[in-house]
């Protein structure tokens, strides 16, 4: 099927759309935040902040482990290629 002559989505427009999409995420981060409604309600209602601290620590651990594993793999590959 041949694309319509006056199509909005041409090849050059895809790059422009992607650029606008990325800029939108960078300048409007509140629109891209995703958080469980129950987690947000619990964290906002608690006065002591211990649950929020625990959630933040969990996020850091979940974020750090994949980076450590990838760094370990690259180290072993680097060592193997040097020998």
């Amino acid at each position: 099927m041949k694309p319509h002559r006056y199509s909005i989505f041409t090849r050059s427009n895809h790059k422009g759309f992607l650029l606008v999409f990325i800029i939108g995420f960078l300048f409007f981060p509140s629109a891209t935040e995703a958080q469980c409604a129950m987690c947000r309600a619990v964290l906002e209602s608690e006065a002591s902040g211990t649950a929020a601290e625990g959630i933040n620590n969990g996020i850091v651990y979940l974020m750090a482990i994949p980076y450590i594993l990838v760094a370990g793999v690259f180290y072993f590959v680097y060592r193997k290629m040097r020998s």
Side-chain angles (χ1 to χ4, degrees):
M1 188 168 140
K2 188 175 175 183
H4 194 270
R5 182 175 170 186
Y6 300 107
S7 176
I8 296 172
F9 298 107
T10 61
R11 211 171 265 262
S12 62
N13 283 344
H14 286 295
K15 290 180 184 178
F17 177 75
L18 183 62
L19 181 65
V20 169
F21 192 69
I22 290 172
I23 289 172
F25 276 123
L26 292 176
F27 287 115
F28 303 107
S30 62
T32 62
E33 291 178 2
Q35 188 175 28
C36 168
M38 292 302 293
C39 295
R40 184 179 181 123
V42 168
L43 295 178
E44 287 178 349
S45 67
E46 188 177 88
S48 66
T50 55
E53 185 178 338
I55 298 265
N56 288 338
N57 289 337
I59 289 170
V60 170
Y61 293 138
L62 288 172
M63 179 189 72
I65 297 299
Y67 287 108
I68 292 169
L69 291 174
V70 169
V73 167
F74 279 122
Y75 173 73
F76 286 118
V77 168
Y78 173 77
R79 237 180 54 186
K80 192 74 165 172
M81 292 188 73
R82 294 276 301 183
S83 62

